[in-house]
Amino acid sequence: MAVSLQTKYPLRPITNIPRSYRPSFLRVRVTCAVSTTTKPQPKREKLVVEKRLVNPPLPNDPTLQSTWTHRLWVAAGCTTVFASLAKSIIGGFGSHIWLEPALAGYAGYILADLGSGVYHWAIDNYGDESTPVVGTQIEAFQGHHKWPWTITRRQFANNLHALARVITFTVLPLDLAFNDPVIHGFVSTCAFCIMFSQQFHAWAHGTKSKLPPLVVALQDMGLLVSRREHAEHHRAPYNNNYCIVSGAWNKVLDESKVFEALEMVLYIQLGVRPRSWSEPNSDWTEETEISNNQA
């Protein structure tokens, strides 16, 4: 209605209006100007903006703190691992063999790095917080991609308790069932590296000046995943450098495109797309304002 009136009776300058009537006239003009038939522009960025307003965990956030339950699980995991290591050492002394348990331990170290990469790839790309058994870890890893620096704020037992629980239930039966020093050479080293992989991961996000000198030396030697190498995992296209023990397998897996092949097989067979195919998006866009202050 307002547009048709303006078309039929175009507005012209009006003079000789008493001052007392001018305010009312101005209100009428404002009303006419607002009454248009122009379609409002869609707010295409609304959902993205709402997601970006989610606050990162605070340094004193309870989700970053260790509980006594966390500490007990880590203690239980360490006990089973060190019991396995003791059996390997004592068995080696008793049978006068050293090379075989040492080689088995090295194999456990190498395979732990591979296992960390496969598991990391899987929970980064598939499932969500409702996934049975691992849903909590999937949710945590998605939050980690948005706020990578928070892993350096997690207390020790908080960071390790989930893996420590798995190690406890896996290694304890092996401790009771076997006495072979070779078996325990493999089991103890592999289990130790898997349980502490999240700590190695946290160190890979740490600032060099704040890390223990021994940790920095092991990173520089390639025995632990380095900060520079793991940083590539948090850059687009977010589909490489998944291994977080030593990172020794990263180059092999990335250059041979093993994970890309697995993603294609799963997509063809099950129709499931990995998250890395749709990234980067707001879920994985790193909040750098705070993380830069940690460097």
PDB file of all heavy atoms in Angstrom, residues 97-125:
ATOM      1  N   ILE A  97      68.307 -64.436  28.003  1.00  0.00           N
ATOM      2  CA  ILE A  97      68.026 -63.886  26.673  1.00  0.00           C
ATOM      3  C   ILE A  97      67.739 -62.400  26.827  1.00  0.00           C
ATOM      4  O   ILE A  97      67.030 -61.980  27.733  1.00  0.00           O
ATOM      5  CB  ILE A  97      66.853 -64.603  25.969  1.00  0.00           C
ATOM      6  CG1 ILE A  97      65.568 -64.508  26.804  1.00  0.00           C
ATOM      7  CG2 ILE A  97      67.206 -66.057  25.662  1.00  0.00           C
ATOM      8  CD1 ILE A  97      64.347 -65.039  26.088  1.00  0.00           C
ATOM      9  N   TRP A  98      68.312 -61.606  25.936  1.00  0.00           N
ATOM     10  CA  TRP A  98      68.149 -60.162  25.989  1.00  0.00           C
ATOM     11  C   TRP A  98      67.714 -59.583  24.644  1.00  0.00           C
ATOM     12  O   TRP A  98      66.906 -58.659  24.602  1.00  0.00           O
ATOM     13  CB  TRP A  98      69.471 -59.496  26.407  1.00  0.00           C
ATOM     14  CG  TRP A  98      69.894 -59.864  27.777  1.00  0.00           C
ATOM     15  CD1 TRP A  98      70.829 -60.780  28.144  1.00  0.00           C
ATOM     16  CD2 TRP A  98      69.355 -59.343  28.993  1.00  0.00           C
ATOM     17  NE1 TRP A  98      70.924 -60.857  29.506  1.00  0.00           N
ATOM     18  CE2 TRP A  98      70.037 -59.978  30.053  1.00  0.00           C
ATOM     19  CE3 TRP A  98      68.391 -58.391  29.292  1.00  0.00           C
ATOM     20  CZ2 TRP A  98      69.758 -59.707  31.389  1.00  0.00           C
ATOM     21  CZ3 TRP A  98      68.115 -58.112  30.612  1.00  0.00           C
ATOM     22  CH2 TRP A  98      68.797 -58.768  31.650  1.00  0.00           C
ATOM     23  N   LEU A  99      68.236 -60.149  23.595  1.00  0.00           N
ATOM     24  CA  LEU A  99      67.961 -59.589  22.279  1.00  0.00           C
ATOM     25  C   LEU A  99      66.484 -59.721  21.918  1.00  0.00           C
ATOM     26  O   LEU A  99      65.860 -58.765  21.443  1.00  0.00           O
ATOM     27  CB  LEU A  99      68.829 -60.267  21.218  1.00  0.00           C
ATOM     28  CG  LEU A  99      68.638 -59.745  19.782  1.00  0.00           C
ATOM     29  CD1 LEU A  99      68.981 -58.260  19.700  1.00  0.00           C
ATOM     30  CD2 LEU A  99      69.489 -60.568  18.813  1.00  0.00           C
ATOM     31  N   GLU A 100      65.918 -60.905  22.135  1.00  0.00           N
ATOM     32  CA  GLU A 100      64.530 -61.141  21.740  1.00  0.00           C
ATOM     33  C   GLU A 100      63.545 -60.230  22.479  1.00  0.00           C
ATOM     34  O   GLU A 100      62.682 -59.610  21.836  1.00  0.00           O
ATOM     35  CB  GLU A 100      64.149 -62.610  21.944  1.00  0.00           C
ATOM     36  CG  GLU A 100      64.828 -63.580  21.008  1.00  0.00           C
ATOM     37  CD  GLU A 100      66.194 -64.033  21.530  1.00  0.00           C
ATOM     38  OE1 GLU A 100      66.728 -63.357  22.451  1.00  0.00           O
ATOM     39  OE2 GLU A 100      66.724 -65.031  21.027  1.00  0.00           O
ATOM     40  N   PRO A 101      63.629 -60.110  23.816  1.00  0.00           N
ATOM     41  CA  PRO A 101      62.713 -59.170  24.479  1.00  0.00           C
ATOM     42  C   PRO A 101      62.920 -57.728  24.036  1.00  0.00           C
ATOM     43  O   PRO A 101      61.954 -56.961  23.928  1.00  0.00           O
ATOM     44  CB  PRO A 101      63.046 -59.341  25.971  1.00  0.00           C
ATOM     45  CG  PRO A 101      63.634 -60.704  26.078  1.00  0.00           C
ATOM     46  CD  PRO A 101      64.389 -60.903  24.799  1.00  0.00           C
ATOM     47  N   ALA A 102      64.188 -57.355  23.775  1.00  0.00           N
ATOM     48  CA  ALA A 102      64.462 -55.985  23.329  1.00  0.00           C
ATOM     49  C   ALA A 102      63.844 -55.728  21.955  1.00  0.00           C
ATOM     50  O   ALA A 102      63.232 -54.669  21.718  1.00  0.00           O
ATOM     51  CB  ALA A 102      65.963 -55.736  23.296  1.00  0.00           C
ATOM     52  N   LEU A 103      63.990 -56.689  21.052  1.00  0.00           N
ATOM     53  CA  LEU A 103      63.390 -56.544  19.716  1.00  0.00           C
ATOM     54  C   LEU A 103      61.868 -56.535  19.799  1.00  0.00           C
ATOM     55  O   LEU A 103      61.201 -55.792  19.066  1.00  0.00           O
ATOM     56  CB  LEU A 103      63.861 -57.671  18.802  1.00  0.00           C
ATOM     57  CG  LEU A 103      65.339 -57.636  18.396  1.00  0.00           C
ATOM     58  CD1 LEU A 103      65.700 -58.870  17.570  1.00  0.00           C
ATOM     59  CD2 LEU A 103      65.657 -56.358  17.616  1.00  0.00           C
ATOM     60  N   ALA A 104      61.325 -57.359  20.696  1.00  0.00           N
ATOM     61  CA  ALA A 104      59.869 -57.376  20.883  1.00  0.00           C
ATOM     62  C   ALA A 104      59.391 -56.029  21.411  1.00  0.00           C
ATOM     63  O   ALA A 104      58.335 -55.518  21.004  1.00  0.00           O
ATOM     64  CB  ALA A 104      59.480 -58.502  21.838  1.00  0.00           C
ATOM     65  N   GLY A 105      60.160 -55.445  22.333  1.00  0.00           N
ATOM     66  CA  GLY A 105      59.809 -54.128  22.851  1.00  0.00           C
ATOM     67  C   GLY A 105      59.842 -53.062  21.766  1.00  0.00           C
ATOM     68  O   GLY A 105      58.958 -52.190  21.705  1.00  0.00           O
ATOM     69  N   TYR A 106      60.838 -53.138  20.888  1.00  0.00           N
ATOM     70  CA  TYR A 106      60.927 -52.176  19.790  1.00  0.00           C
ATOM     71  C   TYR A 106      59.727 -52.330  18.846  1.00  0.00           C
ATOM     72  O   TYR A 106      59.161 -51.335  18.383  1.00  0.00           O
ATOM     73  CB  TYR A 106      62.232 -52.369  19.036  1.00  0.00           C
ATOM     74  CG  TYR A 106      62.415 -51.421  17.874  1.00  0.00           C
ATOM     75  CD1 TYR A 106      62.667 -50.068  18.084  1.00  0.00           C
ATOM     76  CD2 TYR A 106      62.308 -51.877  16.554  1.00  0.00           C
ATOM     77  CE1 TYR A 106      62.814 -49.190  17.029  1.00  0.00           C
ATOM     78  CE2 TYR A 106      62.462 -51.009  15.484  1.00  0.00           C
ATOM     79  CZ  TYR A 106      62.710 -49.665  15.720  1.00  0.00           C
ATOM     80  OH  TYR A 106      62.853 -48.806  14.659  1.00  0.00           O
ATOM     81  N   ALA A 107      59.347 -53.590  18.588  1.00  0.00           N
ATOM     82  CA  ALA A 107      58.182 -53.831  17.740  1.00  0.00           C
ATOM     83  C   ALA A 107      56.915 -53.257  18.385  1.00  0.00           C
ATOM     84  O   ALA A 107      56.051 -52.681  17.698  1.00  0.00           O
ATOM     85  CB  ALA A 107      58.016 -55.327  17.491  1.00  0.00           C
ATOM     86  N   GLY A 108      56.813 -53.390  19.707  1.00  0.00           N
ATOM     87  CA  GLY A 108      55.663 -52.817  20.402  1.00  0.00           C
ATOM     88  C   GLY A 108      55.622 -51.305  20.289  1.00  0.00           C
ATOM     89  O   GLY A 108      54.549 -50.711  20.119  1.00  0.00           O
ATOM     90  N   TYR A 109      56.776 -50.683  20.366  1.00  0.00           N
ATOM     91  CA  TYR A 109      56.879 -49.226  20.228  1.00  0.00           C
ATOM     92  C   TYR A 109      56.449 -48.778  18.833  1.00  0.00           C
ATOM     93  O   TYR A 109      55.689 -47.808  18.672  1.00  0.00           O
ATOM     94  CB  TYR A 109      58.318 -48.821  20.526  1.00  0.00           C
ATOM     95  CG  TYR A 109      58.731 -47.437  20.102  1.00  0.00           C
ATOM     96  CD1 TYR A 109      58.265 -46.313  20.776  1.00  0.00           C
ATOM     97  CD2 TYR A 109      59.615 -47.264  19.036  1.00  0.00           C
ATOM     98  CE1 TYR A 109      58.671 -45.043  20.392  1.00  0.00           C
ATOM     99  CE2 TYR A 109      60.030 -45.998  18.655  1.00  0.00           C
ATOM    100  CZ  TYR A 109      59.544 -44.893  19.327  1.00  0.00           C
ATOM    101  OH  TYR A 109      59.953 -43.641  18.940  1.00  0.00           O
ATOM    102  N   ILE A 110      56.911 -49.502  17.803  1.00  0.00           N
ATOM    103  CA  ILE A 110      56.567 -49.146  16.423  1.00  0.00           C
ATOM    104  C   ILE A 110      55.079 -49.357  16.161  1.00  0.00           C
ATOM    105  O   ILE A 110      54.412 -48.505  15.551  1.00  0.00           O
ATOM    106  CB  ILE A 110      57.416 -49.975  15.436  1.00  0.00           C
ATOM    107  CG1 ILE A 110      58.892 -49.611  15.557  1.00  0.00           C
ATOM    108  CG2 ILE A 110      56.928 -49.763  14.002  1.00  0.00           C
ATOM    109  CD1 ILE A 110      59.219 -48.184  15.221  1.00  0.00           C
ATOM    110  N   LEU A 111      54.543 -50.476  16.619  1.00  0.00           N
ATOM    111  CA  LEU A 111      53.134 -50.763  16.356  1.00  0.00           C
ATOM    112  C   LEU A 111      52.206 -49.862  17.173  1.00  0.00           C
ATOM    113  O   LEU A 111      51.082 -49.589  16.745  1.00  0.00           O
ATOM    114  CB  LEU A 111      52.840 -52.234  16.644  1.00  0.00           C
ATOM    115  CG  LEU A 111      53.438 -53.221  15.639  1.00  0.00           C
ATOM    116  CD1 LEU A 111      53.104 -54.658  16.021  1.00  0.00           C
ATOM    117  CD2 LEU A 111      52.947 -52.927  14.219  1.00  0.00           C
ATOM    118  N   ALA A 112      52.670 -49.418  18.333  1.00  0.00           N
ATOM    119  CA  ALA A 112      51.850 -48.481  19.118  1.00  0.00           C
ATOM    120  C   ALA A 112      51.654 -47.179  18.351  1.00  0.00           C
ATOM    121  O   ALA A 112      50.557 -46.593  18.379  1.00  0.00           O
ATOM    122  CB  ALA A 112      52.502 -48.212  20.464  1.00  0.00           C
ATOM    123  N   ASP A 113      52.683 -46.720  17.669  1.00  0.00           N
ATOM    124  CA  ASP A 113      52.554 -45.500  16.876  1.00  0.00           C
ATOM    125  C   ASP A 113      51.557 -45.706  15.737  1.00  0.00           C
ATOM    126  O   ASP A 113      50.705 -44.843  15.486  1.00  0.00           O
ATOM    127  CB  ASP A 113      53.919 -45.097  16.312  1.00  0.00           C
ATOM    128  CG  ASP A 113      53.885 -43.753  15.611  1.00  0.00           C
ATOM    129  OD1 ASP A 113      53.462 -42.760  16.230  1.00  0.00           O
ATOM    130  OD2 ASP A 113      54.271 -43.702  14.420  1.00  0.00           O
ATOM    131  N   LEU A 114      51.643 -46.854  15.081  1.00  0.00           N
ATOM    132  CA  LEU A 114      50.688 -47.161  14.009  1.00  0.00           C
ATOM    133  C   LEU A 114      49.270 -47.235  14.561  1.00  0.00           C
ATOM    134  O   LEU A 114      48.334 -46.677  13.973  1.00  0.00           O
ATOM    135  CB  LEU A 114      51.071 -48.474  13.333  1.00  0.00           C
ATOM    136  CG  LEU A 114      50.108 -48.989  12.257  1.00  0.00           C
ATOM    137  CD1 LEU A 114      49.997 -48.009  11.101  1.00  0.00           C
ATOM    138  CD2 LEU A 114      50.559 -50.360  11.756  1.00  0.00           C
ATOM    139  N   GLY A 115      49.113 -47.927  15.688  1.00  0.00           N
ATOM    140  CA  GLY A 115      47.790 -48.045  16.281  1.00  0.00           C
ATOM    141  C   GLY A 115      47.203 -46.703  16.679  1.00  0.00           C
ATOM    142  O   GLY A 115      46.000 -46.451  16.503  1.00  0.00           O
ATOM    143  N   SER A 116      48.046 -45.807  17.209  1.00  0.00           N
ATOM    144  CA  SER A 116      47.554 -44.481  17.580  1.00  0.00           C
ATOM    145  C   SER A 116      47.056 -43.718  16.362  1.00  0.00           C
ATOM    146  O   SER A 116      46.070 -42.978  16.441  1.00  0.00           O
ATOM    147  CB  SER A 116      48.659 -43.688  18.297  1.00  0.00           C
ATOM    148  OG  SER A 116      49.661 -43.261  17.381  1.00  0.00           O
ATOM    149  N   GLY A 117      47.737 -43.897  15.224  1.00  0.00           N
ATOM    150  CA  GLY A 117      47.324 -43.219  14.000  1.00  0.00           C
ATOM    151  C   GLY A 117      45.999 -43.730  13.467  1.00  0.00           C
ATOM    152  O   GLY A 117      45.122 -42.951  13.067  1.00  0.00           O
ATOM    153  N   VAL A 118      45.830 -45.048  13.469  1.00  0.00           N
ATOM    154  CA  VAL A 118      44.585 -45.642  12.970  1.00  0.00           C
ATOM    155  C   VAL A 118      43.408 -45.226  13.852  1.00  0.00           C
ATOM    156  O   VAL A 118      42.343 -44.837  13.357  1.00  0.00           O
ATOM    157  CB  VAL A 118      44.707 -47.178  12.907  1.00  0.00           C
ATOM    158  CG1 VAL A 118      43.363 -47.812  12.544  1.00  0.00           C
ATOM    159  CG2 VAL A 118      45.771 -47.592  11.897  1.00  0.00           C
ATOM    160  N   TYR A 119      43.613 -45.287  15.159  1.00  0.00           N
ATOM    161  CA  TYR A 119      42.534 -44.920  16.086  1.00  0.00           C
ATOM    162  C   TYR A 119      42.202 -43.430  15.976  1.00  0.00           C
ATOM    163  O   TYR A 119      41.023 -43.042  15.952  1.00  0.00           O
ATOM    164  CB  TYR A 119      42.948 -45.269  17.509  1.00  0.00           C
ATOM    165  CG  TYR A 119      41.873 -45.022  18.538  1.00  0.00           C
ATOM    166  CD1 TYR A 119      40.752 -45.842  18.595  1.00  0.00           C
ATOM    167  CD2 TYR A 119      41.975 -43.971  19.444  1.00  0.00           C
ATOM    168  CE1 TYR A 119      39.756 -45.618  19.536  1.00  0.00           C
ATOM    169  CE2 TYR A 119      40.985 -43.741  20.386  1.00  0.00           C
ATOM    170  CZ  TYR A 119      39.886 -44.572  20.430  1.00  0.00           C
ATOM    171  OH  TYR A 119      38.897 -44.346  21.355  1.00  0.00           O
ATOM    172  N   HIS A 120      43.237 -42.605  15.897  1.00  0.00           N
ATOM    173  CA  HIS A 120      43.057 -41.160  15.768  1.00  0.00           C
ATOM    174  C   HIS A 120      42.304 -40.824  14.492  1.00  0.00           C
ATOM    175  O   HIS A 120      41.380 -39.995  14.489  1.00  0.00           O
ATOM    176  CB  HIS A 120      44.434 -40.493  15.783  1.00  0.00           C
ATOM    177  CG  HIS A 120      44.400 -39.012  15.922  1.00  0.00           C
ATOM    178  ND1 HIS A 120      45.541 -38.245  16.004  1.00  0.00           N
ATOM    179  CD2 HIS A 120      43.381 -38.115  15.968  1.00  0.00           C
ATOM    180  CE1 HIS A 120      45.219 -36.979  16.095  1.00  0.00           C
ATOM    181  NE2 HIS A 120      43.905 -36.868  16.072  1.00  0.00           N
ATOM    182  N   TRP A 121      42.669 -41.475  13.395  1.00  0.00           N
ATOM    183  CA  TRP A 121      41.975 -41.251  12.121  1.00  0.00           C
ATOM    184  C   TRP A 121      40.500 -41.624  12.241  1.00  0.00           C
ATOM    185  O   TRP A 121      39.618 -40.898  11.760  1.00  0.00           O
ATOM    186  CB  TRP A 121      42.647 -42.073  11.021  1.00  0.00           C
ATOM    187  CG  TRP A 121      41.791 -42.264   9.807  1.00  0.00           C
ATOM    188  CD1 TRP A 121      41.540 -41.357   8.815  1.00  0.00           C
ATOM    189  CD2 TRP A 121      41.041 -43.443   9.458  1.00  0.00           C
ATOM    190  NE1 TRP A 121      40.688 -41.890   7.871  1.00  0.00           N
ATOM    191  CE2 TRP A 121      40.372 -43.164   8.243  1.00  0.00           C
ATOM    192  CE3 TRP A 121      40.889 -44.695  10.041  1.00  0.00           C
ATOM    193  CZ2 TRP A 121      39.553 -44.112   7.625  1.00  0.00           C
ATOM    194  CZ3 TRP A 121      40.071 -45.630   9.425  1.00  0.00           C
ATOM    195  CH2 TRP A 121      39.408 -45.342   8.229  1.00  0.00           C
ATOM    196  N   ALA A 122      40.230 -42.762  12.875  1.00  0.00           N
ATOM    197  CA  ALA A 122      38.855 -43.250  12.964  1.00  0.00           C
ATOM    198  C   ALA A 122      37.969 -42.305  13.761  1.00  0.00           C
ATOM    199  O   ALA A 122      36.865 -41.948  13.315  1.00  0.00           O
ATOM    200  CB  ALA A 122      38.845 -44.644  13.595  1.00  0.00           C
ATOM    201  N   ILE A 123      38.426 -41.866  14.950  1.00  0.00           N
ATOM    202  CA  ILE A 123      37.551 -41.023  15.774  1.00  0.00           C
ATOM    203  C   ILE A 123      37.523 -39.580  15.286  1.00  0.00           C
ATOM    204  O   ILE A 123      36.598 -38.837  15.604  1.00  0.00           O
ATOM    205  CB  ILE A 123      37.938 -41.087  17.263  1.00  0.00           C
ATOM    206  CG1 ILE A 123      39.336 -40.527  17.504  1.00  0.00           C
ATOM    207  CG2 ILE A 123      37.810 -42.504  17.785  1.00  0.00           C
ATOM    208  CD1 ILE A 123      39.714 -40.498  18.984  1.00  0.00           C
ATOM    209  N   ASP A 124      38.507 -39.174  14.508  1.00  0.00           N
ATOM    210  CA  ASP A 124      38.458 -37.841  13.901  1.00  0.00           C
ATOM    211  C   ASP A 124      37.404 -37.773  12.805  1.00  0.00           C
ATOM    212  O   ASP A 124      36.800 -36.720  12.578  1.00  0.00           O
ATOM    213  CB  ASP A 124      39.814 -37.472  13.298  1.00  0.00           C
ATOM    214  CG  ASP A 124      40.659 -36.630  14.236  1.00  0.00           C
ATOM    215  OD1 ASP A 124      40.266 -36.459  15.400  1.00  0.00           O
ATOM    216  OD2 ASP A 124      41.727 -36.154  13.805  1.00  0.00           O
ATOM    217  N   ASN A 125      37.181 -38.882  12.121  1.00  0.00           N
ATOM    218  CA  ASN A 125      36.376 -38.849  10.900  1.00  0.00           C
ATOM    219  C   ASN A 125      35.018 -39.523  10.992  1.00  0.00           C
ATOM    220  O   ASN A 125      34.155 -39.263  10.148  1.00  0.00           O
ATOM    221  CB  ASN A 125      37.161 -39.488   9.748  1.00  0.00           C
ATOM    222  CG  ASN A 125      38.283 -38.612   9.250  1.00  0.00           C
ATOM    223  OD1 ASN A 125      38.056 -37.629   8.545  1.00  0.00           O
ATOM    224  ND2 ASN A 125      39.512 -38.942   9.621  1.00  0.00           N
TER     225      ASN A 125
END
